[in-house]
Amino acid sequence: MACKICGGEVEMRKFTSDIDEKDFGKEIVLYGWVHEVRDLGGLVFVILRDREGFAQITLPKKAVDREMFRRARKVRRESVIRVKGVVKAEEKAPNGFEIIPSEFEILNEADAPLPLEVTEKVPAELDTRLDNRFMDLRKPRIQAIFRIRHVMLQSIREFFDRHGFIEVNTPKIVSTATEGGTELFPITYFEREAFLNQSPQLYKQTLMAAGFERVLEIGPIFRAEEHNTIRHLNEAVSIDIEVSFTDHEGVMSYLEELVRYIHEKVNERCGRYLEWIGAKVEIPDTPFTRLSYDEAVEIAKRKGEEINWGDDLSTSALKFIAEEMDGYYFIVDWPTESKPFYAMPHENDPEISKTFDLMNGWLEIASGAQRIHIHDLLVKRISEQGLNPDSFGFYLEAFRYGMPPHAGWGMGLDRLVMAALNLPNIREAVLFPRDRQRLVP
RNA sequence: GCCCGGGUGGUGUAGCCAGGCCUAACAUGCGGGCCUGUCGAGCCCGCGCCUCGGGUUCAAAUCCCGGCCCGGGCGCCA
């Protein structure tokens, strides 16, 4: 709290986590919420909770102001308070210290009853929690997810900055479908119809034609699919990269090293938050296993899945495959037909493509490819996929005047958070998730 | 989109299959009281609930039909 900008009151203001032996005997100021009040009659304990943890405010009736004692005893849970007092070493107190207040100010009294229990004495259903997300997020265990997500984003930017990537922002309001395959949300754009972007794919490729060479985008993507599962959202955050003068293997290296880096940094920087969650983050070894599509189909077949070469891998097939694959792994060399038009076919066997999915168990985390950079081949593939090349005007133009060979991938951040922390539902990884039925809050 | 499951105090559960003993139970909470070392505090008193509409029946939280809302699986998709 030495920072002048963060200051406020306020060399004296501390987070609960910043209190240590050096503060014993000194006066400090805490701001926070009333987590619990334990009233023993002649002695009252108020547990103050702030962003970083808890502190026990102890009010012995005989040692503190009478009016203040009455106020603290009656304060309702989740009210916002400001406490000024002396930090006293006390063996009997949690963490070995307590605050004996000289001032106890209720900045905003909370209503009762609460829509859910922040103390988690009684569980709440996910739906109730999401309806009252602001209060759900007060739970340390829930807030920890987002502190870790923050560190993940931080380390992603760090990683790519070190590797010479340029972070960009491409439009989320677009005129037409980019990749086909998925349903789009139509919107009104003045007198025209437009759509929310399903992926930055076409734009990041266009930036390869612009000579950016290595780009990173972190942004929302929108899919209008009516799915109803623990791993799909209609608004998600995608981590996208595109790299010139490399192939699919080149960008797979970035991907696996990134995933490892993220896990390392979360371990280094999020010890306390992992503790709150009760999670351990295993740092995955690189390189990740490459399982070919052919091998994947073999495994599924052997375990009784009805699947033909060329089919997409169904959920049950992926679950069979996951039985044999631990942690993160790639499935590579997919049939060209099952991947989007921009995926580069292998020169010696055009039936398969230079494509890969990054998996964690049976959950797909990322997918990518070397891209087609040859204009005429691209037009041919667009037509073969049943799409109209005329609707790809600005995109195709970029391939006519010097498009370098390139490759890239997109990764679902929410799914990565879900996988890394072993969350039971992707909605747990998102502050305000958007799904088939939820538009509020 | 197809399929399965569910909706009981503020919250989370029990009761439903085998209708009546349910003026609905338990925990937590909330209001009041007692208590100077709590940390799931304890003890005493009190408060608060059957998703909506229709039907069957002497009788419906319970059985049937429909609506609304929700969860999940699959498909599609990342």
Side-chain angles (χ1 to χ4, degrees):
Chain A
M1 203 49 67
C3 171
K4 261 199 267 178
I5 303 167
C6 299
E9 183 157 352
V10 183
E11 309 84 84
M12 282 199 302
R13 194 264 159 123
K14 281 187 176 274
F15 282 120
T16 52
S17 59
D18 294 335
I19 301 169
D20 58 26
E21 304 83 47
K22 289 195 285 295
D23 299 299
F24 290 178
K26 289 192 190 145
E27 189 165 67
I28 62 162
V29 172
L30 295 173
Y31 287 88
W33 284 259
V34 174
H35 191 67
E36 280 185 281
V37 179
R38 284 192 278 270
D39 177 4
L40 274 62
L43 182 65
V44 171
F45 300 105
V46 175
I47 310 303
L48 175 146
R49 184 192 68 243
D50 65 17
R51 203 176 83 173
E52 308 296 341
F54 301 93
Q56 176 167 291
I57 316 300
T58 302
L59 299 96
K61 191 171 188 176
K62 290 179 182 157
V64 299
D65 176 76
R66 226 176 84 219
E67 166 61 14
M68 181 173 74
F69 181 81
R70 195 197 56 80
R71 209 181 317 131
R73 198 166 73 83
K74 283 291 150 204
V75 67
R76 282 201 289 250
R77 294 147 80 228
E78 296 307 316
S79 298
V80 180
I81 56 171
R82 172 185 168 279
V83 173
K84 187 178 193 176
V86 174
V87 182
K88 185 183 145 206
E90 174 56 69
E91 264 183 24
K92 286 178 277 186
N95 308 319
F97 68 84
E98 61 190 11
I99 315 294
I100 310 296
S102 55
E103 293 174 27
F104 187 101
E105 195 181 342
I106 299 169
L107 302 176
N108 211 156
E109 180 89 16
D111 269 348
L114 302 169
L116 50 82
E117 301 283 328
V118 179
T119 56
E120 300 201 74
K121 282 179 192 166
V122 178
E125 284 192 0
L126 185 58
D127 198 47
T128 306
R129 292 172 42 211
L130 292 175
D131 281 343
N132 301 284
R133 192 58 151 158
F134 71 93
M135 187 149 290
D136 185 50
L137 290 164
R138 289 182 188 176
K139 299 172 188 165
R141 200 170 56 80
I142 305 302
Q143 198 164 108
I145 295 167
F146 298 95
R147 304 298 292 273
I148 292 167
R149 186 175 158 124
H150 160 71
V151 168
M152 287 182 170
L153 278 165
Q154 194 181 45
S155 52
I156 290 165
R157 290 199 161 96
E158 240 168 54
F159 178 90
F160 284 117
D161 188 53
R162 283 184 199 168
H163 287 285
F165 281 67
I166 299 166
E167 183 169 350
V168 299
N169 298 284
T170 63
K172 303 305 153 201
I173 301 174
V174 298
S175 69
T176 184
T178 46
E179 304 174 39
T182 190
E183 293 294 318
L184 300 177
F185 287 109
I187 59 167
T188 301
Y189 193 73
F190 304 109
E191 67 282 2
R192 277 176 291 171
E193 183 182 54
F195 301 92
L196 294 178
N197 208 174
Q198 71 181 93
S199 138
Q201 184 61 29
L202 306 190
Y203 289 97
K204 55 182 187 162
Q205 286 193 263
T206 302
L207 290 173
M208 297 301 98
F212 278 49
E213 293 214 17
R214 277 170 248 172
V215 299
L216 163 70
E217 176 160 14
I218 301 176
I221 56 171
F222 304 92
R223 312 271 164 114
E225 300 289 343
E226 300 198 22
H227 28 47
N228 186 212
T229 76
I230 55 166
R231 64 186 185 285
H232 289 95
L233 292 170
N234 295 290
E235 176 178 343
V237 171
S238 182
I239 312 294
D240 270 89
I241 72 161
E242 204 65 31
V243 183
S244 290
F245 309 113
T246 190
D247 60 10
H248 54 302
E249 282 290 345
V251 290
M252 283 163 77
S253 298
Y254 280 118
L255 183 48
E256 60 198 355
E257 291 309 323
L258 170 70
V259 169
R260 191 177 72 168
Y261 187 79
I262 290 170
H263 284 71
E264 283 170 2
K265 294 301 147 188
V266 166
N267 256 348
E268 275 174 39
R269 299 173 190 173
C270 299
R272 188 148 45 105
Y273 307 122
L274 289 170
E275 221 173 89
W276 287 357
I277 297 179
K280 277 224 158 58
V281 169
E282 298 279 325
I283 297 169
D285 280 334
T286 52
F288 296 163
T289 305
R290 270 76 168 155
L291 182 73
S292 73
Y293 169 85
D294 288 6
E295 292 167 317
V297 169
E298 251 337 282
I299 292 170
K301 256 189 185 158
R302 175 153 41 84
K303 293 183 174 250
E305 179 78 7
E306 276 189 43
I307 181 173
N308 294 310
W309 195 93
D311 292 346
D312 205 354
L313 299 176
S314 68
T315 305
S316 62
L318 288 172
K319 284 179 177 169
F320 281 136
I321 294 158
E323 287 173 8
E324 313 225 329
M325 307 297 297
D326 253 2
Y328 294 100
Y329 62 98
F330 286 111
I331 299 178
V332 301
D333 297 337
W334 292 71
T336 305
E337 270 314 300
S338 70
K339 285 288 177 184
F341 62 80
Y342 49 77
M344 181 69 98
H346 273 101
E347 292 83 359
N348 49 0
D349 185 359
E351 291 293 298
I352 62 171
S353 54
K354 298 182 174 181
T355 51
F356 57 90
D357 281 7
L358 175 67
M359 308 294 298
N360 181 274
W362 57 278
L363 186 66
E364 183 182 344
I365 304 287
S367 70
Q370 181 180 332
R371 324 297 193 186
I372 295 172
H373 59 283
I374 311 295
H375 177 273
D376 291 357
L377 178 56
L378 191 57
V379 171
K380 178 166 161 265
R381 290 290 303 130
I382 290 173
S383 302
E384 282 172 3
Q385 297 254 350
L387 299 165
N388 182 2
D390 293 344
S391 55
F392 291 86
F394 83 87
Y395 175 65
L396 286 172
E397 279 300 289
F399 289 77
R400 291 177 58 200
Y401 307 100
M403 172 65 92
H406 60 281
W409 46 254
M411 172 165 70
L413 175 64
D414 318 297
R415 282 198 175 178
L416 182 71
V417 173
M418 180 185 177
L421 299 180
N422 203 230
L423 301 175
N425 192 313
I426 197 164
R427 293 164 182 82
E428 297 275 4
V430 179
L431 287 171
F432 302 103
R434 287 291 170 264
D435 63 29
R436 180 68 188 85
Q437 21 273 335
R438 184 172 290 279
L439 192 54
V440 173

